Amino acid sequence: MNTEDYLLIKSMLSEIKSDMISISKKIDQDENESCIVLLDNIKEKINLIESNKKELDLSNQESYEISQQLDMYLLQINFVELISILSNKITHMEDEILLLRYGLDNLSVRLLIVCGEGISSGFIVNRMKKYVEKGDVVSALPITMLRENIENYDVILVAPHLHHKKMIVERMCELHNRSFGIIDGKTYGKMDGVKILKQAKDLFLNKKKL
C-alpha cells in the first residue's frame, strides 16, 4: 500500500469533515448559495477518494472505515441539499403569500433598478422576469440615465453599492413623485428577484395609500 496515498485520503476526509461543519453554520445563517458551492467541492473530493481507494492495497478494515465515512458524508449531503431545496421553496411560498395578503399580486408596477453602469442590475432584471406579473415593467439603467427616464417608472430602486447617491436619487424621486428605495445588500447579492419585486410593490402601494 502506498502510505502517502492513504494519508492523502485521510487528509481529504478531514477536509470534508471541516467543510460539512462550515455548511451547517452557513445553513444557520441562511447562506444556501454558499452551501451549494461547498457541496460541489465535497462531491469532487468524494469521487476522487472513491477512485483512488480502488487502486490502493487497503486492508479490509481500512477500506471499510473509509467507505463508512464516505457513506455518512453522502447521507449528510443529501440531507443538506433537501434542506436547501425546501428552504428556497418555503421562502418563495412566503413571498407569494405576502403578495396575496396585501393584494400585491394584482398590483402592476413600473420598476427601474439603477446601478453604476447598469450591468449588475441588468443581471437581476433578467432573473426577475420570471416573477413579474402581467402589466409589470422591470428595467435596469445606469444612474447617469435616471433623470431622462424617471417619468417612465413608478418605483426607483438603487443598488446597495450606490448608497452614497441616496440623497440625490431620493430628491429626484420626490420632485417627480416617484417611490424610492435601496435594495438590501444581501438580497442584491443573491439576485433575489422575488424580494426585490415585493419591495418595489410595497413601496408603490404605500405611496398610493398616502
Side-chain angles (χ1 to χ4, degrees):
M1 177 184 69
N2 189 321
T3 305
E4 289 185 1
D5 287 342
Y6 178 68
L7 290 175
L8 178 60
I9 286 178
K10 296 295 285 185
S11 174
M12 291 176 69
L13 286 170
S14 295
E15 290 177 10
I16 292 174
K17 181 179 180 180
S18 177
D19 288 342
M20 292 304 299
I21 292 172
S22 296
I23 284 176
S24 66
K25 291 179 181 177
K26 290 182 180 296
I27 289 175
D28 290 338
Q29 297 167 0
D30 195 26
E31 298 180 11
N32 290 332
E33 291 193 5
S34 299
C35 289
I36 299 302
V37 174
L38 269 175
L39 285 174
D40 288 340
N41 291 335
I42 291 173
K43 287 177 184 177
E44 288 182 9
K45 290 175 184 176
I46 288 176
N47 289 334
L48 187 59
I49 291 173
E50 287 280 16
S51 60
N52 287 334
K53 182 168 71 75
K54 295 174 183 177
E55 299 174 5
L56 294 176
D57 183 22
L58 299 173
S59 68
N60 290 336
Q61 181 62 30
E62 289 168 339
S63 180
Y64 175 77
E65 288 177 358
I66 292 174
S67 295
Q68 283 290 99
Q69 289 187 64
L70 293 179
D71 288 343
M72 178 186 69
Y73 291 137
L74 286 171
L75 185 63
Q76 290 176 347
I77 287 171
N78 290 336
F79 181 66
V80 170
E81 287 180 330
L82 179 61
I83 288 176
S84 180
I85 291 169
L86 289 175
S87 176
N88 286 332
K89 285 186 176 181
I90 289 171
T91 299
H92 187 70
M93 286 173 63
E94 286 174 344
D95 286 325
E96 287 187 338
I97 289 169
L98 284 170
L99 291 174
L100 288 168
R101 178 180 174 187
Y102 293 107
L104 298 179
D105 58 318
N106 295 317
L107 179 67
S108 296
V109 64
R110 298 175 299 166
L111 166 64
L112 176 64
I113 302 176
V114 295
C115 68
E117 300 295 332
I119 298 174
S120 60
S121 56
F123 283 124
I124 290 176
V125 165
N126 286 335
R127 293 193 64 172
M128 288 179 70
K129 286 179 179 177
K130 68 179 75 171
Y131 303 115
V132 296
E133 302 288 336
K134 185 177 180 180
D136 289 333
V137 175
V138 181
S139 304
L141 288 173
I143 194 168
T144 52
M145 296 181 66
L146 174 59
R147 190 181 300 277
E148 62 195 85
N149 289 280
I150 193 169
E151 288 290 344
N152 299 323
Y153 299 94
D154 305 306
V155 180
I156 312 299
L157 292 181
V158 177
H161 53 279
L162 287 186
H163 194 280
H164 60 288
K165 300 283 189 180
K166 175 186 175 185
M167 291 181 65
I168 296 173
V169 179
E170 191 170 22
R171 178 58 180 159
M172 200 182 302
C173 289
E174 287 175 358
L175 291 173
H176 292 270
N177 194 31
R178 296 298 186 259
S179 300
F180 163 81
I182 296 179
I183 303 171
D184 174 72
K186 188 175 181 180
T187 301
Y188 195 86
K190 288 183 175 181
M191 292 195 281
D192 192 331
V194 173
K195 285 189 177 180
I196 294 172
L197 184 61
K198 180 184 176 302
Q199 179 185 3
K201 292 199 172 188
D202 280 339
L203 288 168
F204 187 45
L205 182 64
N206 288 337
K207 194 165 192 68
K208 287 174 71 73
K209 287 179 178 178
L210 294 177

